[in-house]
């Protein structure tokens, strides 16, 4: 649904741009259209002078003259006095300018700002004395305001009902030409009211960029449709710098209105960044956000769809440096009040991360959504520079992504995001129905968290790569989640926890969670833990691909093991087929919560009567499910392949035949009661020779089945090689490196230059503006939880 809508809104945006490009010249060249030239900074009504082209023509008079015709007119500004200089180019308004009722293009031109050393507006309109009125009020379609620093007033520009195809480009809002403070509007730089649509604020070319430095809101879209906000600096100075005392409160606010035709829908914030050599910069449709204390973008019950892509939040336009802003949530989607619905169909990012993904640095939360229907967060980066380097302290202060789906039957789609979480939360899904798939998270406390009651509709957590979480990798605190095919390497705490053990049971229990097909390596705590308030959950599975692989995990002391169940008397949890090695000290461990409580109802391991190469039999609880496994060693933290699953009869007897294993192969088993409670593993027994095998595992004339495959070998550390670098000695201050890993599948890289800290990187890696002297570049690869030795390249920059 969302991706279909994305194509629709981009088509609408392209159509809007085409119509503006085609129709404005057509209007301008129509018979009867006129050009009026503002040549004075006064504010008296001099309409007659503007019409006659004699004497002083003020902006007020030029607008009145343009309103007197029905063709699209043009208002230009004379280069003398409008040269972009403070004071000389400023029109101080005594009252609001006349409402623009007929099409007009107001263009003051482009001038070099000596204060900011950038190209900017040539004229300034100062409405600081207007009170509740806006500087510019527009009701005519095919109109524009370009090249003006718009200050003061209730709003800088207000677009009213009936305004279509409006443009604002190369305008500054809340910025005086001389760089002084005090230019903020009382409400917003640009207000788009209900019924106004197909407006473009900014543009994809650098010369079209608008600047919103100081006001409570940069752009407010109130019940309006098909508008675009592109290529702007929002909360920054014209030169891209940031001033904490002169920023916007909310960058862009989008909200439905109760007025007729008051739906905020098909609005686009951003679009696509340019590719090629400038792809690391915020270019093309990319907006840069740096807010004072509120959200970068706030959506309140906006009907949608709304599309937010290719923007920088808290990252300077060069894509390399974080902005020291004090934003709360960079994107906040919420209901507009009690009993109101949340925003609908919000798409954040896109399927092509390099050109559509948003970049987030710091903020209270990167994305926070409450009750947002059909929310999609796709292909964004949190805590990284534009070239993929992790930014130290670039994490969100709470969570990179936090979503709540209360009142909805479906949650969010959170897919293919890159998150540098450090000690903060990575992805948090409250309530139900989210799909959290194929995200790459470094750090995280925890990396992924699901919580709160969910009415039996859980989340899908699948195919995520979690590296060195600062606490748990995945923490599940609600029911009916499917946690599958995730890779978790070197978590400081538990790899996956279902209902973290606590001193008292909450008013609900985590149940019906399925944890299958995950790979957990070197967890500092338990590999997979089922907590004391969790019941009816399943860990692993008997079908191909469902076993969890757990290696070198398990904490110290009682709370350890590859899989541990901390159970109350009523708790019943199932452990099906799983595999792994090097876990401390046991592969499956049941721990009583305390007092008289018995883990998993006190179920004990089954008993072997005989164990042979291709069969085994024994006793268990009546009607229990018995799983028989091979083992590669006597190590208690190792478990091999599943050999057979059988059912005990009503008397508790069972027997099993399975593919023939070599004599002496260790065999172990668990039993799962009819209440779905699984035991620990029974003491391993060496398989004896089948009566017909002559005591061998194979031989001439043997009809035995081939032995099952051995358990997976321990993963080996990858190798990394630098394939290209700069000259060993040169005057160049830029150094570019290329490198690769073997094996390449799933490998991630970390780089460092000289004494810097290791940071995530990708090939090619470029360093710029290096100092004269000797330098050492190092790169290492990480795959399957293993880290390679560093490859080293030394070079010298000469004077």
């Amino acid at each position: 649904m969302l991706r279909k809508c994305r194509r629709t809104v981009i088509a609408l945006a392209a159509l809007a741009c085409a119509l503006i490009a085609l129709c404005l010249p057509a209007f301008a060249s129509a018979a009867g259209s006129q050009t009026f030239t503002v040549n004075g900074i006064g504010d008296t009504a001099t309409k007659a002078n503007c019409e006659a082209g004699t004497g002083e023509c003020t902006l007020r008079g030029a607008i009145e003259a343009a309103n007197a015709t029905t063709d699209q007119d043009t208002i230009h500004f004379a280069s003398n006095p409008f040269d972009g200089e403070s004071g000389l180019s400023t029109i101080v308004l005594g009252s609001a300018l006349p409402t623009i009722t007929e099409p007009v293009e107001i263009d003051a031109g482009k001038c070099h700002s000596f204060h900011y050393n950038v190209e900017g507006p040539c004229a300034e309109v100062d409405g600081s004395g207007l009170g509740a009125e806006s500087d510019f009020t527009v009701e005519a379609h095919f109109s524009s305001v370009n090249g003006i620093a718009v200050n003061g007033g209730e709003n800088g520009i207000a677009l009213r009902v009936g305004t279509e195809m409006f443009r604002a480009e190369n305008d500054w809002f809340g910025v005086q030409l001389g760089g002084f403070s005090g230019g903020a509007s009382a409400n917003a730089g640009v207000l788009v009211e209900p019924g106004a649509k197909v407006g473009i604020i900014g543009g994809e070319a650098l010369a079209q960029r608008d600047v919103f430095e100081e006001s409570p809101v940069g752009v407010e879209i109130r019940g309006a449709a098909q508008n675009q906000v592109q290529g702007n600096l929002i909360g920054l100075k014209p030169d891209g710098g940031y001033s904490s005392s002169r920023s916007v409160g909310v960058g862009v606010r989008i909200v439905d209105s109760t007025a007729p035709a008051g739906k905020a829908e098909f609005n686009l914030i951003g679009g696509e960044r340019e590719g090629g050599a400038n792809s690391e910069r915020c270019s093309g449709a990319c907006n840069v956000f740096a807010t004072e204390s509120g959200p970068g973008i706030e959506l309140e019950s906006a009907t949608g769809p709304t599309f937010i892509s290719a923007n920088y939040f808290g990252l300077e336009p060069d894509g390399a440096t974080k902005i020291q802003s004090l934003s709360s949530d960079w994107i906040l989607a919420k209901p507009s009040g009690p009993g109101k619905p949340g925003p609908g169909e919000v798409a954040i990012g896109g399927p092509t991360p390099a050109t559509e993904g948003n970049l987030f640095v710091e903020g209270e939360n990167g994305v926070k959504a409450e009750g947002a229907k059909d929310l999609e967060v796709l292909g964004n980066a949190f805590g990284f520079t534009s070239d993929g380097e992790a930014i130290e302290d670039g994490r969100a202060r709470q969570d990179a992504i936090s979503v709540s789906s209360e009142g909805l039957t479906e949650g969010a789609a959170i897919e293919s995001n890159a998150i540098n979480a450090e000690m903060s939360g990575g992805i948090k899904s409250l309530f139900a129905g989210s799909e959290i798939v194929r995200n790459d998270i470094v750090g995280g406390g925890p990396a992924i968290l699901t919580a709160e009651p969910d009415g039996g509709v859980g989340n899908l957590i699948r195919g995520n790569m979690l590296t060195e979480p600062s606490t748990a990798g995945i923490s599940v605190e609600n029911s009916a989640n499917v946690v599958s095919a995730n890779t978790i390497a070197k978590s400081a705490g538990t790899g996956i926890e279902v209902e973290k053990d606590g001193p008292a049971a909450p008013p609900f229990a985590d149940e019906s969670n399925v944890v299958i097909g995950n790979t957990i390596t070197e967890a500092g705590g338990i590999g997979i833990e089922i907590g004391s308030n969790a019941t009816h959950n399943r860990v692993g599975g008997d079908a191909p691909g469902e076993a969890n692989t757990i290696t070198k995990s398990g904490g110290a002391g009682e709370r350890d093991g590859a899989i541990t169940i901390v159970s109350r008397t009523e708790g019943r949890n199932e452990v099906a087929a799983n595999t792994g090695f090097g876990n401390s000290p046991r592969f499956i461990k049941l721990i009583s919560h305390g007092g008289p409580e018995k883990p998993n109802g006190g179920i004990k391991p089954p008993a072997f009567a005989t164990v042979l190469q291709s069969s085994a039999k024994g006793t268990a609880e009546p009607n229990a499910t018995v799983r028989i496994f091979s083992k590669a060693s006597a190590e208690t933290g190792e478990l091999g392949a599943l050999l057979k699953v059988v059912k005990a009869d009503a008397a508790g007897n069972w027997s099993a035949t399975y593919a023939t294993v070599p004599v002496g192969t260790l065999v172990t088993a668990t039993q799962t009661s009819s209440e779905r409670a699984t035991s620990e593993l029974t003491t391993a027994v060496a398989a004896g020779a089948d009566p017909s095998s002559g005591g061998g595992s194979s031989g001439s004339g043997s009809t035995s089945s081939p032995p099952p495959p051995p358990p997976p070998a321990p993963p080996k550390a990858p190798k990394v090689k630098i394939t290209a670098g700069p000259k060993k000695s040169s005057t160049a201050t830029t150094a570019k490196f290329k490198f690769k890993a073997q094996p390449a599948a799933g490998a991630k890289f970390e780089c460092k230059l000289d004494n810097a800290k290791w940071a995530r990187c990708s090939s090619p890696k470029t360093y710029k503006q290096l100092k004269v002297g000797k330098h050492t570049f190092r790169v290492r690869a990480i795959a399957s939880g293993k880290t390679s030795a560093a490859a080293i390249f030394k070079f010298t920059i000469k004077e």
Side-chain angles (χ1 to χ4, degrees):
M1 175 64 180
L2 281 173
R3 294 182 187 179
K4 180 180 178 182
C5 291
R6 169 178 287 279
R7 293 192 293 270
T8 302
V9 79
I10 289 175
L12 288 171
L15 176 62
C17 293
L19 287 173
I20 288 177
L22 292 173
C23 295
L24 276 177
F27 270 81
S29 61
S33 62
Q34 300 181 59
T35 297
F36 306 105
T37 300
V38 178
N39 57 20
I41 63 173
D43 190 40
T44 56
T46 53
K47 171 187 172 185
N49 288 354
C50 297
E51 291 173 330
T54 60
E56 183 184 29
C57 175
T58 66
L59 177 58
R60 184 179 299 277
I63 293 174
E64 289 182 353
N67 283 342
T69 75
T70 57
D71 295 303
Q72 187 190 40
D73 298 314
T74 302
I75 298 175
H76 283 168
F77 288 66
S79 58
N80 183 14
F82 297 104
D83 59 0
E85 287 296 292
S86 173
L88 302 176
S89 305
T90 301
I91 300 169
V92 179
L93 300 179
S95 61
L97 291 167
T99 298
I100 297 171
T101 57
E102 298 294 337
V104 64
E105 181 178 3
I106 301 174
D107 190 354
K110 298 178 178 64
C111 291
H112 183 78
S113 168
F114 290 95
H115 183 80
Y116 292 108
N117 195 30
V118 295
E119 292 296 305
C122 293
E124 178 179 339
V125 171
D126 181 1
S128 57
L130 297 185
E133 297 178 292
S134 299
D135 291 17
F136 291 93
T137 301
V138 184
E139 292 182 355
H141 58 289
F142 290 107
S143 295
S144 62
V145 175
N146 305 325
I148 298 179
V150 185
N151 294 306
E154 179 69 12
N155 303 284
I157 300 174
L159 308 182
R160 295 285 173 79
V161 174
T163 304
E164 297 185 19
M165 301 291 184
F166 174 82
R167 288 187 316 185
E169 60 183 51
N170 189 35
D171 297 317
W172 293 355
F173 297 90
V175 188
Q176 295 186 5
L177 291 179
F180 301 105
S181 62
S185 297
N187 178 51
V190 176
L191 171 64
V192 186
E193 295 189 349
K197 59 183 180 180
V198 197
I200 299 178
I201 312 302
E204 295 189 4
L206 181 62
Q208 296 173 311
R209 168 179 287 174
D210 294 319
V211 177
F212 298 84
E213 185 184 357
E214 189 175 7
S215 63
V217 181
V219 179
E220 181 167 342
I221 300 174
R222 187 186 298 165
Q226 301 175 37
N227 298 283
Q228 303 171 64
V229 180
Q230 297 183 311
N232 305 296
L233 299 179
I234 302 176
L236 295 174
K237 297 183 289 186
D239 59 5
Y242 174 74
S243 174
S244 61
S245 62
R246 292 176 55 188
S247 186
V248 296
V250 177
V252 175
R253 174 179 287 141
I254 304 176
V255 61
D256 273 359
S257 170
T258 57
K263 291 183 178 180
E265 54 186 354
F266 290 103
N267 293 295
L268 173 63
I269 313 301
E272 292 187 3
R273 285 188 297 278
E274 293 177 348
N278 294 323
S279 61
E280 293 178 3
R281 293 191 60 84
C282 185
S283 56
C286 172
N287 301 287
V288 181
F289 289 87
T291 49
E292 181 83 32
S293 57
I297 298 175
E298 183 176 67
L299 300 107
E300 296 185 1
S301 300
T303 296
T306 303
F307 300 90
I308 303 169
S309 59
N311 303 289
Y312 285 6
F313 295 89
L315 189 64
E316 289 189 3
D318 64 5
T321 311
K322 70 177 181 180
I323 299 170
Q324 303 294 333
S325 82
L326 300 174
S327 169
S328 57
D329 306 304
W330 281 124
I331 297 179
L332 175 61
K334 66 176 185 177
S336 57
K340 300 288 186 180
E345 295 187 71
V346 181
I348 301 172
T352 309
T355 57
E356 294 180 292
N358 300 284
L359 273 64
F360 299 84
V361 176
E362 286 195 327
E364 198 70 16
N365 296 280
V367 174
K368 184 175 182 179
E370 301 172 359
K373 183 179 180 181
D374 294 326
L375 172 70
E376 181 182 80
V377 186
L378 173 63
N380 305 284
F382 299 79
F384 293 96
T385 64
S386 57
D387 65 356
E389 282 195 60
I391 297 178
E392 188 174 1
D393 293 329
R395 68 191 185 281
R397 292 186 291 275
Q398 288 191 6
D399 299 290
I401 302 172
S402 176
V403 298
S404 167
S405 58
E406 185 175 15
L408 302 178
T409 57
E410 295 182 2
I414 304 173
E415 180 178 345
S416 300
N417 299 283
I419 300 174
N420 171 28
E422 298 180 44
M423 299 293 292
S424 300
I427 298 173
K428 179 193 293 182
S429 177
L430 303 182
F431 296 94
S434 292
E435 295 186 3
I436 305 171
V437 298
R438 292 188 294 278
N439 299 283
D440 190 339
I441 305 177
V442 178
I448 298 174
L449 168 67
T450 69
E452 305 297 332
D454 52 26
V457 179
N459 303 274
L460 174 63
I461 306 172
R462 183 179 64 198
N464 300 283
M465 174 69 74
L466 313 179
T467 305
E468 297 184 357
S470 56
T471 57
I474 299 173
S475 184
V476 174
E477 298 182 9
N478 58 346
S479 299
N481 298 280
V482 175
V483 182
S484 68
N486 301 284
T487 299
I488 305 168
K490 297 183 178 181
S491 60
T494 303
I496 298 173
E497 59 186 16
V498 178
E499 205 321 273
K500 187 175 182 180
D501 186 33
F508 60 91
D510 297 340
E511 56 183 316
S512 303
N513 294 288
V514 177
V515 182
I516 54 175
N518 301 283
T519 300
I520 301 170
T521 58
E522 298 184 62
I526 298 165
I528 298 174
E529 178 181 10
I530 307 297
S532 60
N533 300 309
T535 188
H536 302 136
N537 300 284
R538 175 162 65 92
V539 178
D542 303 333
E546 289 188 339
N548 298 290
T549 300
I550 308 168
T551 59
K552 297 185 179 180
S553 299
E558 183 185 19
R559 306 300 289 273
D560 49 27
I563 300 170
T564 298
I565 296 175
V566 182
S567 180
R568 296 183 186 274
T569 302
E570 64 272 20
R572 300 292 185 269
N573 294 282
E574 181 176 10
V575 180
N578 298 277
T579 188
F581 61 90
N583 302 288
S584 172
R586 283 184 268 175
F587 199 88
I588 300 175
K589 187 172 183 179
L590 305 184
I591 302 175
S592 177
H593 180 73
E597 298 167 347
K598 296 180 179 180
N600 255 1
I603 189 169
K604 300 297 183 183
F608 283 127
T610 60
V611 177
L612 301 175
Q613 288 179 268
S614 59
S615 66
K617 61 182 179 180
T619 57
E621 290 191 2
N623 302 311
T625 298
V626 179
R627 293 179 175 89
I628 300 99
F629 302 89
S630 67
K631 284 176 60 66
S633 71
E635 173 199 329
T636 58
E638 182 268 335
L639 186 63
L642 176 67
L643 298 178
K644 193 72 173 182
V645 181
V646 295
K647 196 92 168 177
D649 62 20
N653 298 305
W654 60 270
S655 63
T657 58
Y658 42 79
T660 302
V661 299
V663 171
T665 298
L666 295 175
V667 177
T668 186
T670 63
Q671 67 167 317
T672 301
S673 70
S674 57
E675 295 180 311
R676 316 308 300 174
T678 300
S679 70
E680 294 183 349
L681 290 159
T682 193
T683 302
V685 175
D690 285 343
S692 61
S693 70
S697 61
S698 63
S700 176
S702 171
T703 59
S704 300
S705 300
K716 295 182 180 179
K719 296 181 180 179
V720 65
K721 180 180 180 181
I722 299 173
T723 58
K727 292 182 179 180
K728 292 289 187 179
S729 180
S730 73
T731 58
T733 59
T734 296
K736 184 177 182 180
F737 299 90
K738 293 182 180 180
F739 38 86
K740 63 181 181 180
Q742 181 64 38
K748 305 293 181 182
F749 296 97
E750 293 182 339
C751 298
K752 65 180 295 186
L753 185 66
D754 300 330
N755 295 322
K757 293 183 178 180
W758 287 102
R760 286 288 297 276
C761 62
S762 58
S763 180
K765 172 63 178 171
T766 302
Y767 295 94
K768 300 177 181 179
Q769 298 180 343
L770 297 176
K771 295 181 180 180
V772 172
K774 295 181 179 180
H775 297 279
T776 302
F777 169 75
R778 293 176 173 85
V779 60
R780 62 190 184 189
I782 301 171
S784 301
K786 298 287 187 178
T787 302
S788 73
I792 300 173
F793 189 101
K794 295 183 178 182
F795 61 104
T796 301
I797 298 176
K798 301 184 295 185
E799 293 185 1

